[in-house]
mmCIF file of all heavy atoms in Angstrom:
data_model
loop_
_atom_site.group_PDB
_atom_site.id
_atom_site.type_symbol
_atom_site.label_atom_id
_atom_site.label_comp_id
_atom_site.label_asym_id
_atom_site.label_seq_id
_atom_site.Cartn_x
_atom_site.Cartn_y
_atom_site.Cartn_z
ATOM 1 N N MET A 17 16.082 -19.369 16.378
ATOM 2 C CA MET A 17 16.012 -17.921 16.545
ATOM 3 C C MET A 17 14.553 -17.451 16.853
ATOM 4 O O MET A 17 13.632 -17.985 16.294
ATOM 5 C CB MET A 17 16.496 -17.206 15.230
ATOM 6 C CG MET A 17 18.012 -17.207 15.141
ATOM 7 S SD MET A 17 18.759 -16.272 16.472
ATOM 8 C CE MET A 17 20.498 -16.593 16.171
ATOM 9 N N MET A 18 14.474 -16.438 17.654
ATOM 10 C CA MET A 18 13.149 -15.869 17.958
ATOM 11 C C MET A 18 12.714 -14.955 16.856
ATOM 12 O O MET A 18 13.551 -14.337 16.176
ATOM 13 C CB MET A 18 13.209 -15.117 19.298
ATOM 14 C CG MET A 18 13.551 -16.030 20.482
ATOM 15 S SD MET A 18 13.601 -15.088 22.013
ATOM 16 C CE MET A 18 11.880 -14.940 22.356
ATOM 17 N N ASP A 19 11.415 -14.840 16.675
ATOM 18 C CA ASP A 19 10.874 -14.073 15.539
ATOM 19 C C ASP A 19 9.946 -12.999 16.057
ATOM 20 O O ASP A 19 8.867 -12.768 15.575
ATOM 21 C CB ASP A 19 10.128 -15.052 14.618
ATOM 22 C CG ASP A 19 10.175 -14.536 13.183
ATOM 23 O OD1 ASP A 19 10.831 -13.485 12.921
ATOM 24 O OD2 ASP A 19 9.546 -15.139 12.321
ATOM 25 N N GLU A 20 10.387 -12.259 17.084
ATOM 26 C CA GLU A 20 9.517 -11.301 17.776
ATOM 27 C C GLU A 20 9.078 -10.166 16.859
ATOM 28 O O GLU A 20 7.986 -9.682 16.939
ATOM 29 C CB GLU A 20 10.202 -10.750 19.010
ATOM 30 C CG GLU A 20 10.312 -11.821 20.093
ATOM 31 C CD GLU A 20 10.862 -11.215 21.353
ATOM 32 O OE1 GLU A 20 10.900 -9.935 21.484
ATOM 33 O OE2 GLU A 20 11.268 -11.986 22.274
ATOM 34 N N ASN A 21 9.990 -9.705 16.027
ATOM 35 C CA ASN A 21 9.658 -8.578 15.171
ATOM 36 C C ASN A 21 8.471 -8.868 14.256
ATOM 37 O O ASN A 21 7.548 -8.066 14.144
ATOM 38 C CB ASN A 21 10.845 -8.158 14.313
ATOM 39 C CG ASN A 21 11.914 -7.469 15.170
ATOM 40 O OD1 ASN A 21 11.592 -6.902 16.209
ATOM 41 N ND2 ASN A 21 13.168 -7.531 14.729
ATOM 42 N N LYS A 22 8.486 -10.034 13.617
ATOM 43 C CA LYS A 22 7.392 -10.365 12.736
ATOM 44 C C LYS A 22 6.067 -10.525 13.546
ATOM 45 O O LYS A 22 5.045 -10.083 13.161
ATOM 46 C CB LYS A 22 7.709 -11.672 12.005
ATOM 47 C CG LYS A 22 8.348 -11.443 10.654
ATOM 48 C CD LYS A 22 8.431 -12.750 9.893
ATOM 49 C CE LYS A 22 9.073 -12.547 8.519
ATOM 50 N NZ LYS A 22 9.230 -13.829 7.808
ATOM 51 N N LYS A 23 6.202 -11.215 14.656
ATOM 52 C CA LYS A 23 5.038 -11.552 15.461
ATOM 53 C C LYS A 23 4.305 -10.272 15.959
ATOM 54 O O LYS A 23 3.122 -10.191 16.018
ATOM 55 C CB LYS A 23 5.431 -12.434 16.650
ATOM 56 C CG LYS A 23 4.248 -12.955 17.456
ATOM 57 C CD LYS A 23 4.745 -13.766 18.615
ATOM 58 C CE LYS A 23 5.453 -12.884 19.648
ATOM 59 N NZ LYS A 23 5.959 -13.706 20.783
ATOM 60 N N ASN A 24 5.091 -9.272 16.342
ATOM 61 C CA ASN A 24 4.537 -8.088 16.956
ATOM 62 C C ASN A 24 4.201 -6.980 15.986
ATOM 63 O O ASN A 24 3.675 -5.941 16.388
ATOM 64 C CB ASN A 24 5.529 -7.529 18.012
ATOM 65 C CG ASN A 24 5.662 -8.486 19.150
ATOM 66 O OD1 ASN A 24 4.731 -9.214 19.492
ATOM 67 N ND2 ASN A 24 6.824 -8.505 19.797
ATOM 68 N N MET A 25 4.503 -7.190 14.709
ATOM 69 C CA MET A 25 4.399 -6.047 13.769
ATOM 70 C C MET A 25 2.985 -5.526 13.708
ATOM 71 O O MET A 25 2.698 -4.347 13.827
ATOM 72 C CB MET A 25 4.875 -6.487 12.392
ATOM 73 C CG MET A 25 4.933 -5.327 11.412
ATOM 74 S SD MET A 25 5.521 -5.854 9.780
ATOM 75 C CE MET A 25 7.274 -6.020 10.113
ATOM 76 N N SER A 26 2.002 -6.420 13.485
ATOM 77 C CA SER A 26 0.608 -5.945 13.293
ATOM 78 C C SER A 26 0.066 -5.261 14.572
ATOM 79 O O SER A 26 -0.555 -4.234 14.502
ATOM 80 C CB SER A 26 -0.260 -7.116 12.891
ATOM 81 O OG SER A 26 -0.282 -8.093 13.891
ATOM 82 N N SER A 27 0.355 -5.854 15.733
ATOM 83 C CA SER A 27 -0.191 -5.268 16.943
ATOM 84 C C SER A 27 0.489 -3.945 17.194
ATOM 85 O O SER A 27 -0.153 -3.013 17.719
ATOM 86 C CB SER A 27 -0.011 -6.211 18.104
ATOM 87 O OG SER A 27 1.350 -6.516 18.261
ATOM 88 N N ASP A 28 1.751 -3.807 16.912
ATOM 89 C CA ASP A 28 2.429 -2.531 17.100
ATOM 90 C C ASP A 28 1.800 -1.451 16.213
ATOM 91 O O ASP A 28 1.646 -0.299 16.660
ATOM 92 C CB ASP A 28 3.881 -2.682 16.775
ATOM 93 C CG ASP A 28 4.665 -3.311 17.937
ATOM 94 O OD1 ASP A 28 4.034 -3.537 18.999
ATOM 95 O OD2 ASP A 28 5.865 -3.562 17.812
ATOM 96 N N GLU A 29 1.471 -1.791 15.011
ATOM 97 C CA GLU A 29 0.878 -0.808 14.159
ATOM 98 C C GLU A 29 -0.479 -0.341 14.709
ATOM 99 O O GLU A 29 -0.803 0.813 14.662
ATOM 100 C CB GLU A 29 0.662 -1.396 12.759
ATOM 101 C CG GLU A 29 1.983 -1.484 11.978
ATOM 102 C CD GLU A 29 1.802 -2.131 10.631
ATOM 103 O OE1 GLU A 29 0.670 -2.495 10.300
ATOM 104 O OE2 GLU A 29 2.775 -2.295 9.950
ATOM 105 N N MET A 30 -1.230 -1.261 15.255
ATOM 106 C CA MET A 30 -2.542 -0.849 15.816
ATOM 107 C C MET A 30 -2.354 0.010 17.046
ATOM 108 O O MET A 30 -3.149 0.893 17.331
ATOM 109 C CB MET A 30 -3.346 -2.107 16.218
ATOM 110 C CG MET A 30 -3.874 -2.857 14.987
ATOM 111 S SD MET A 30 -4.992 -4.171 15.407
ATOM 112 C CE MET A 30 -6.421 -3.180 15.992
ATOM 113 N N ASP A 31 -1.260 -0.202 17.802
ATOM 114 C CA ASP A 31 -1.027 0.601 18.995
ATOM 115 C C ASP A 31 -0.718 2.045 18.638
ATOM 116 O O ASP A 31 -0.753 2.895 19.470
ATOM 117 C CB ASP A 31 0.129 0.007 19.802
ATOM 118 C CG ASP A 31 -0.301 -1.237 20.535
ATOM 119 O OD1 ASP A 31 -1.518 -1.420 20.672
ATOM 120 O OD2 ASP A 31 0.546 -1.963 21.013
ATOM 121 N N ASP A 32 -0.337 2.283 17.379
ATOM 122 C CA ASP A 32 0.035 3.657 16.983
ATOM 123 C C ASP A 32 -1.163 4.456 16.461
ATOM 124 O O ASP A 32 -1.023 5.583 16.092
ATOM 125 C CB ASP A 32 1.098 3.586 15.859
ATOM 126 C CG ASP A 32 2.459 3.165 16.450
ATOM 127 O OD1 ASP A 32 2.619 3.257 17.652
ATOM 128 O OD2 ASP A 32 3.321 2.816 15.650
ATOM 129 N N VAL A 33 -2.344 3.820 16.431
ATOM 130 C CA VAL A 33 -3.503 4.480 15.873
ATOM 131 C C VAL A 33 -4.208 5.319 16.944
ATOM 132 O O VAL A 33 -4.599 4.828 18.003
ATOM 133 C CB VAL A 33 -4.497 3.464 15.268
ATOM 134 C CG1 VAL A 33 -5.741 4.153 14.759
ATOM 135 C CG2 VAL A 33 -3.840 2.712 14.146
ATOM 136 N N CYS A 34 -4.363 6.614 16.640
ATOM 137 C CA CYS A 34 -5.036 7.518 17.589
ATOM 138 C C CYS A 34 -6.513 7.181 17.671
ATOM 139 O O CYS A 34 -7.180 6.927 16.644
ATOM 140 C CB CYS A 34 -4.846 8.949 17.079
ATOM 141 S SG CYS A 34 -5.873 10.172 17.960
ATOM 142 N N GLU A 35 -7.076 7.132 18.874
ATOM 143 C CA GLU A 35 -8.480 6.814 19.061
ATOM 144 C C GLU A 35 -9.380 7.983 18.640
ATOM 145 O O GLU A 35 -10.584 7.787 18.431
ATOM 146 C CB GLU A 35 -8.759 6.483 20.512
ATOM 147 C CG GLU A 35 -8.181 5.118 20.887
ATOM 148 C CD GLU A 35 -8.630 4.696 22.259
ATOM 149 O OE1 GLU A 35 -8.991 5.555 23.081
ATOM 150 O OE2 GLU A 35 -8.561 3.485 22.601
ATOM 151 N N GLU A 36 -8.864 9.171 18.554
ATOM 152 C CA GLU A 36 -9.684 10.319 18.207
ATOM 153 C C GLU A 36 -9.803 10.461 16.685
ATOM 154 O O GLU A 36 -10.905 10.592 16.125
ATOM 155 C CB GLU A 36 -9.053 11.607 18.777
ATOM 156 C CG GLU A 36 -9.098 11.638 20.316
ATOM 157 C CD GLU A 36 -10.514 11.760 20.855
ATOM 158 O OE1 GLU A 36 -11.321 12.495 20.230
ATOM 159 O OE2 GLU A 36 -10.822 11.183 21.867
ATOM 160 N N CYS A 37 -8.655 10.465 15.978
ATOM 161 C CA CYS A 37 -8.686 10.716 14.532
ATOM 162 C C CYS A 37 -8.432 9.445 13.748
ATOM 163 O O CYS A 37 -8.409 9.518 12.478
ATOM 164 C CB CYS A 37 -7.677 11.811 14.184
ATOM 165 S SG CYS A 37 -5.989 11.453 14.629
ATOM 166 N N LYS A 38 -8.199 8.324 14.428
ATOM 167 C CA LYS A 38 -8.015 7.022 13.724
ATOM 168 C C LYS A 38 -6.823 7.053 12.777
ATOM 169 O O LYS A 38 -6.815 6.405 11.742
ATOM 170 C CB LYS A 38 -9.285 6.602 12.972
ATOM 171 C CG LYS A 38 -10.525 6.653 13.833
ATOM 172 C CD LYS A 38 -10.417 5.692 14.971
ATOM 173 C CE LYS A 38 -11.725 5.723 15.789
ATOM 174 N NZ LYS A 38 -11.636 4.900 17.027
ATOM 175 N N THR A 39 -5.813 7.833 13.127
ATOM 176 C CA THR A 39 -4.637 7.958 12.272
ATOM 177 C C THR A 39 -3.435 7.481 13.076
ATOM 178 O O THR A 39 -3.338 7.753 14.278
ATOM 179 C CB THR A 39 -4.456 9.380 11.785
ATOM 180 O OG1 THR A 39 -5.629 9.853 11.190
ATOM 181 C CG2 THR A 39 -3.317 9.448 10.767
ATOM 182 N N ALA A 40 -2.545 6.772 12.440
ATOM 183 C CA ALA A 40 -1.334 6.274 13.098
ATOM 184 C C ALA A 40 -0.267 7.290 13.190
ATOM 185 O O ALA A 40 0.100 7.947 12.177
ATOM 186 C CB ALA A 40 -0.832 5.033 12.404
ATOM 187 N N PHE A 41 0.184 7.543 14.403
ATOM 188 C CA PHE A 41 1.275 8.489 14.623
ATOM 189 C C PHE A 41 2.282 7.823 15.587
ATOM 190 O O PHE A 41 1.885 7.044 16.477
ATOM 191 C CB PHE A 41 0.804 9.788 15.233
ATOM 192 C CG PHE A 41 -0.016 10.646 14.322
ATOM 193 C CD1 PHE A 41 -1.367 10.676 14.459
ATOM 194 C CD2 PHE A 41 0.595 11.395 13.346
ATOM 195 C CE1 PHE A 41 -2.142 11.464 13.596
ATOM 196 C CE2 PHE A 41 -0.150 12.183 12.477
ATOM 197 C CZ PHE A 41 -1.543 12.229 12.614
ATOM 198 N N GLU A 42 3.549 8.179 15.444
ATOM 199 C CA GLU A 42 4.548 7.652 16.366
ATOM 200 C C GLU A 42 4.291 8.186 17.763
ATOM 201 O O GLU A 42 4.607 7.556 18.729
ATOM 202 C CB GLU A 42 5.946 8.066 15.933
ATOM 203 C CG GLU A 42 6.427 7.317 14.706
ATOM 204 C CD GLU A 42 7.876 7.699 14.367
ATOM 205 O OE1 GLU A 42 8.515 8.377 15.174
ATOM 206 O OE2 GLU A 42 8.329 7.288 13.281
ATOM 207 N N SER A 43 3.661 9.360 17.882
ATOM 208 C CA SER A 43 3.468 10.008 19.173
ATOM 209 C C SER A 43 2.372 9.311 19.953
ATOM 210 O O SER A 43 2.297 9.494 21.175
ATOM 211 C CB SER A 43 3.132 11.469 18.983
ATOM 212 O OG SER A 43 1.973 11.627 18.162
ATOM 213 N N VAL A 44 1.497 8.550 19.255
ATOM 214 C CA VAL A 44 0.399 7.903 19.975
ATOM 215 C C VAL A 44 0.885 6.957 21.085
ATOM 216 O O VAL A 44 0.378 6.985 22.212
ATOM 217 C CB VAL A 44 -0.505 7.152 18.976
ATOM 218 C CG1 VAL A 44 -1.562 6.307 19.709
ATOM 219 C CG2 VAL A 44 -1.206 8.116 18.042
ATOM 220 N N ARG A 45 1.870 6.146 20.752
ATOM 221 C CA ARG A 45 2.362 5.204 21.722
ATOM 222 C C ARG A 45 2.983 5.921 22.893
ATOM 223 O O ARG A 45 2.878 5.512 24.073
ATOM 224 C CB ARG A 45 3.356 4.235 21.076
ATOM 225 C CG ARG A 45 3.437 2.927 21.811
ATOM 226 C CD ARG A 45 4.510 2.020 21.212
ATOM 227 N NE ARG A 45 4.347 1.917 19.728
ATOM 228 C CZ ARG A 45 5.107 1.148 18.999
ATOM 229 N NH1 ARG A 45 6.056 0.447 19.505
ATOM 230 N NH2 ARG A 45 4.926 1.116 17.705
ATOM 231 N N ALA A 46 3.730 6.974 22.607
ATOM 232 C CA ALA A 46 4.363 7.723 23.682
ATOM 233 C C ALA A 46 3.351 8.341 24.582
ATOM 234 O O ALA A 46 3.499 8.352 25.827
ATOM 235 C CB ALA A 46 5.272 8.810 23.095
ATOM 236 N N ASN A 47 2.248 8.872 24.015
ATOM 237 C CA ASN A 47 1.230 9.488 24.798
ATOM 238 C C ASN A 47 0.469 8.474 25.613
ATOM 239 O O ASN A 47 0.033 8.740 26.772
ATOM 240 C CB ASN A 47 0.216 10.238 23.915
ATOM 241 C CG ASN A 47 0.828 11.532 23.408
ATOM 242 O OD1 ASN A 47 1.677 12.150 24.040
ATOM 243 N ND2 ASN A 47 0.416 11.961 22.226
ATOM 244 N N LEU A 48 0.333 7.255 25.051
ATOM 245 C CA LEU A 48 -0.346 6.180 25.810
ATOM 246 C C LEU A 48 0.470 5.814 27.063
ATOM 247 O O LEU A 48 -0.069 5.611 28.131
ATOM 248 C CB LEU A 48 -0.477 4.958 24.889
ATOM 249 C CG LEU A 48 -1.116 3.713 25.546
ATOM 250 C CD1 LEU A 48 -2.495 3.996 26.038
ATOM 251 C CD2 LEU A 48 -1.080 2.557 24.600
ATOM 252 N N VAL A 49 1.799 5.777 26.893
ATOM 253 C CA VAL A 49 2.640 5.432 28.018
ATOM 254 C C VAL A 49 2.644 6.583 29.066
ATOM 255 O O VAL A 49 2.548 6.354 30.262
ATOM 256 C CB VAL A 49 4.086 5.147 27.539
ATOM 257 C CG1 VAL A 49 5.014 5.023 28.737
ATOM 258 C CG2 VAL A 49 4.105 3.878 26.680
ATOM 259 N N MET A 50 2.722 7.832 28.546
ATOM 260 C CA MET A 50 2.874 8.956 29.478
ATOM 261 C C MET A 50 1.547 9.379 30.124
ATOM 262 O O MET A 50 1.515 9.726 31.297
ATOM 263 C CB MET A 50 3.476 10.132 28.728
ATOM 264 C CG MET A 50 4.973 9.988 28.479
ATOM 265 S SD MET A 50 5.719 11.490 27.876
ATOM 266 C CE MET A 50 4.943 11.673 26.285
ATOM 267 N N HIS A 51 0.464 9.321 29.354
ATOM 268 C CA HIS A 51 -0.796 9.917 29.843
ATOM 269 C C HIS A 51 -1.918 8.893 29.949
ATOM 270 O O HIS A 51 -2.953 9.187 30.537
ATOM 271 C CB HIS A 51 -1.262 11.047 28.909
ATOM 272 C CG HIS A 51 -0.211 12.068 28.630
ATOM 273 N ND1 HIS A 51 0.246 12.931 29.619
ATOM 274 C CD2 HIS A 51 0.533 12.344 27.530
ATOM 275 C CE1 HIS A 51 1.207 13.700 29.132
ATOM 276 N NE2 HIS A 51 1.393 13.366 27.842
ATOM 277 N N GLY A 52 -1.724 7.712 29.344
ATOM 278 C CA GLY A 52 -2.753 6.691 29.388
ATOM 279 C C GLY A 52 -3.844 6.885 28.379
ATOM 280 O O GLY A 52 -4.895 6.226 28.420
ATOM 281 N N TYR A 53 -3.639 7.822 27.439
ATOM 282 C CA TYR A 53 -4.598 8.054 26.378
ATOM 283 C C TYR A 53 -3.986 7.673 25.032
ATOM 284 O O TYR A 53 -2.863 8.074 24.759
ATOM 285 C CB TYR A 53 -5.070 9.491 26.331
ATOM 286 C CG TYR A 53 -5.772 9.943 27.563
ATOM 287 C CD1 TYR A 53 -5.211 10.848 28.455
ATOM 288 C CD2 TYR A 53 -7.054 9.444 27.827
ATOM 289 C CE1 TYR A 53 -5.876 11.235 29.593
ATOM 290 C CE2 TYR A 53 -7.708 9.851 28.973
ATOM 291 C CZ TYR A 53 -7.159 10.747 29.858
ATOM 292 O OH TYR A 53 -7.814 11.130 30.963
ATOM 293 N N LYS A 54 -4.715 6.931 24.188
ATOM 294 C CA LYS A 54 -4.224 6.561 22.883
ATOM 295 C C LYS A 54 -4.564 7.695 21.877
ATOM 296 O O LYS A 54 -5.479 7.564 21.092
ATOM 297 C CB LYS A 54 -4.842 5.251 22.407
ATOM 298 C CG LYS A 54 -4.009 4.058 22.762
ATOM 299 C CD LYS A 54 -4.627 2.770 22.276
ATOM 300 C CE LYS A 54 -4.383 2.601 20.781
ATOM 301 N NZ LYS A 54 -4.879 1.286 20.310
ATOM 302 N N ILE A 55 -3.899 8.803 22.038
ATOM 303 C CA ILE A 55 -4.158 9.922 21.160
ATOM 304 C C ILE A 55 -2.880 10.499 20.635
ATOM 305 O O ILE A 55 -1.806 10.362 21.230
ATOM 306 C CB ILE A 55 -4.922 11.045 21.873
ATOM 307 C CG1 ILE A 55 -4.215 11.493 23.167
ATOM 308 C CG2 ILE A 55 -6.339 10.609 22.185
ATOM 309 C CD1 ILE A 55 -4.898 12.638 23.862
ATOM 310 N N CYS A 56 -2.940 11.136 19.460
ATOM 311 C CA CYS A 56 -1.765 11.746 18.887
ATOM 312 C C CYS A 56 -1.562 13.148 19.498
ATOM 313 O O CYS A 56 -2.369 13.632 20.272
ATOM 314 C CB CYS A 56 -1.903 11.889 17.377
ATOM 315 S SG CYS A 56 -3.266 12.966 16.859
ATOM 316 N N ASP A 57 -0.446 13.751 19.125
ATOM 317 C CA ASP A 57 -0.152 15.079 19.697
ATOM 318 C C ASP A 57 -1.196 16.116 19.326
ATOM 319 O O ASP A 57 -1.540 16.980 20.111
ATOM 320 C CB ASP A 57 1.252 15.567 19.195
ATOM 321 C CG ASP A 57 2.360 14.854 19.948
ATOM 322 O OD1 ASP A 57 2.086 14.312 21.045
ATOM 323 O OD2 ASP A 57 3.489 14.848 19.458
ATOM 324 N N SER A 58 -1.718 16.041 18.098
ATOM 325 C CA SER A 58 -2.741 17.012 17.676
ATOM 326 C C SER A 58 -3.977 16.905 18.518
ATOM 327 O O SER A 58 -4.512 17.923 18.982
ATOM 328 C CB SER A 58 -3.054 16.768 16.212
ATOM 329 O OG SER A 58 -1.896 16.920 15.399
ATOM 330 N N CYS A 59 -4.480 15.658 18.735
ATOM 331 C CA CYS A 59 -5.677 15.484 19.512
ATOM 332 C C CYS A 59 -5.416 15.784 20.978
ATOM 333 O O CYS A 59 -6.294 16.277 21.705
ATOM 334 C CB CYS A 59 -6.194 14.041 19.379
ATOM 335 S SG CYS A 59 -6.790 13.680 17.698
ATOM 336 N N LYS A 60 -4.214 15.540 21.454
ATOM 337 C CA LYS A 60 -3.877 15.870 22.823
ATOM 338 C C LYS A 60 -3.967 17.363 23.045
ATOM 339 O O LYS A 60 -4.460 17.847 24.073
ATOM 340 C CB LYS A 60 -2.444 15.359 23.170
ATOM 341 C CG LYS A 60 -2.089 15.496 24.600
ATOM 342 C CD LYS A 60 -0.710 15.009 24.889
ATOM 343 C CE LYS A 60 0.333 15.975 24.354
ATOM 344 N NZ LYS A 60 1.710 15.576 24.703
ATOM 345 N N LEU A 61 -3.458 18.111 22.063
ATOM 346 C CA LEU A 61 -3.530 19.568 22.139
ATOM 347 C C LEU A 61 -4.968 20.050 22.158
ATOM 348 O O LEU A 61 -5.304 20.923 23.001
ATOM 349 C CB LEU A 61 -2.786 20.176 20.952
ATOM 350 C CG LEU A 61 -1.264 20.379 21.120
ATOM 351 C CD1 LEU A 61 -0.685 20.925 19.862
ATOM 352 C CD2 LEU A 61 -0.988 21.284 22.277
ATOM 353 N N SER A 62 -5.820 19.492 21.304
ATOM 354 C CA SER A 62 -7.204 19.937 21.231
ATOM 355 C C SER A 62 -7.957 19.568 22.509
ATOM 356 O O SER A 62 -8.926 20.221 22.867
ATOM 357 C CB SER A 62 -7.871 19.322 20.012
ATOM 358 O OG SER A 62 -7.947 17.920 20.138
ATOM 359 N N LYS A 63 -7.490 18.529 23.196
ATOM 360 C CA LYS A 63 -8.115 18.169 24.478
ATOM 361 C C LYS A 63 -7.571 19.035 25.573
ATOM 362 O O LYS A 63 -8.279 19.329 26.535
ATOM 363 C CB LYS A 63 -7.818 16.684 24.774
ATOM 364 C CG LYS A 63 -8.739 15.672 24.139
ATOM 365 C CD LYS A 63 -8.286 14.260 24.490
ATOM 366 C CE LYS A 63 -9.317 13.248 24.051
ATOM 367 N NZ LYS A 63 -10.569 13.283 24.815
ATOM 368 N N THR A 64 -6.293 19.423 25.477
ATOM 369 C CA THR A 64 -5.666 20.152 26.561
ATOM 370 C C THR A 64 -6.050 21.603 26.498
ATOM 371 O O THR A 64 -6.369 22.239 27.538
ATOM 372 C CB THR A 64 -4.143 20.038 26.438
ATOM 373 O OG1 THR A 64 -3.770 18.651 26.497
ATOM 374 C CG2 THR A 64 -3.478 20.771 27.619
ATOM 375 N N VAL A 65 -6.047 22.195 25.282
ATOM 376 C CA VAL A 65 -6.351 23.613 25.157
ATOM 377 C C VAL A 65 -7.886 23.785 25.182
ATOM 378 O O VAL A 65 -8.612 23.224 24.335
ATOM 379 C CB VAL A 65 -5.812 24.176 23.826
ATOM 380 C CG1 VAL A 65 -6.187 25.610 23.661
ATOM 381 C CG2 VAL A 65 -4.283 23.966 23.803
ATOM 382 N N PHE A 66 -8.374 24.578 26.057
ATOM 383 C CA PHE A 66 -9.804 24.806 26.197
ATOM 384 C C PHE A 66 -10.282 25.872 25.172
ATOM 385 O O PHE A 66 -9.742 26.980 25.134
ATOM 386 C CB PHE A 66 -10.161 25.308 27.576
ATOM 387 C CG PHE A 66 -10.086 24.235 28.593
ATOM 388 C CD1 PHE A 66 -8.851 23.985 29.271
ATOM 389 C CD2 PHE A 66 -11.163 23.464 28.950
ATOM 390 C CE1 PHE A 66 -8.752 22.996 30.200
ATOM 391 C CE2 PHE A 66 -11.096 22.456 29.898
ATOM 392 C CZ PHE A 66 -9.872 22.192 30.519
ATOM 393 N N PRO A 67 -11.261 25.537 24.367
ATOM 394 C CA PRO A 67 -11.813 26.513 23.414
ATOM 395 C C PRO A 67 -12.566 27.605 24.135
ATOM 396 O O PRO A 67 -13.305 27.387 25.089
ATOM 397 C CB PRO A 67 -12.768 25.685 22.559
ATOM 398 C CG PRO A 67 -13.188 24.523 23.437
ATOM 399 C CD PRO A 67 -11.958 24.249 24.306
ATOM 400 N N ILE A 68 -12.294 28.828 23.717
ATOM 401 C CA ILE A 68 -12.907 29.963 24.355
ATOM 402 C C ILE A 68 -14.182 30.382 23.605
ATOM 403 O O ILE A 68 -14.127 30.581 22.399
ATOM 404 C CB ILE A 68 -11.955 31.182 24.398
ATOM 405 C CG1 ILE A 68 -10.691 30.761 25.204
ATOM 406 C CG2 ILE A 68 -12.625 32.406 25.077
ATOM 407 C CD1 ILE A 68 -9.632 31.837 25.213
HETATM 408 ZN ZN1 ZN J 124 -5.424 12.098 16.752
#
C-alpha cells in the first residue's frame, strides 16, 4: 500500500503557512494556487485594499 498521506503531512502543513503573518490558514494554499502568493485572506485583504 502507498503511504502518501503520512509522507506529505509535514510539507502540506508548511504550505498552509502565510508568508506575511506566519500563521497557518486553509486559505493560504487556495491563494497560492489562485494568485501565486502564499498569504492568508486577511493579508490578501490588507495588500489589496489601499490605505488612505
Ligand atoms: Zn497572513
Side-chain angles (χ1 to χ4, degrees):
M17 282 296 174
M18 299 180 76
D19 209 3
E20 288 186 15
N21 286 336
K22 268 188 180 177
K23 188 181 66 181
N24 293 331
M25 187 179 282
S26 59
S27 58
D28 278 356
E29 285 176 2
M30 288 189 68
D31 283 346
D32 287 344
V33 176
C34 171
E35 287 187 340
E36 294 291 324
C37 60
K38 308 299 181 185
T39 308
F41 290 102
E42 287 184 10
S43 57
V44 171
R45 204 183 310 181
N47 286 331
L48 177 61
V49 172
M50 284 191 294
H51 308 291
Y53 296 111
K54 268 181 78 175
I55 55 176
C56 64
D57 282 341
S58 300
C59 294
K60 188 181 72 176
L61 274 177
S62 64
K63 276 177 171 291
T64 304
V65 178
F66 287 88
I68 301 175

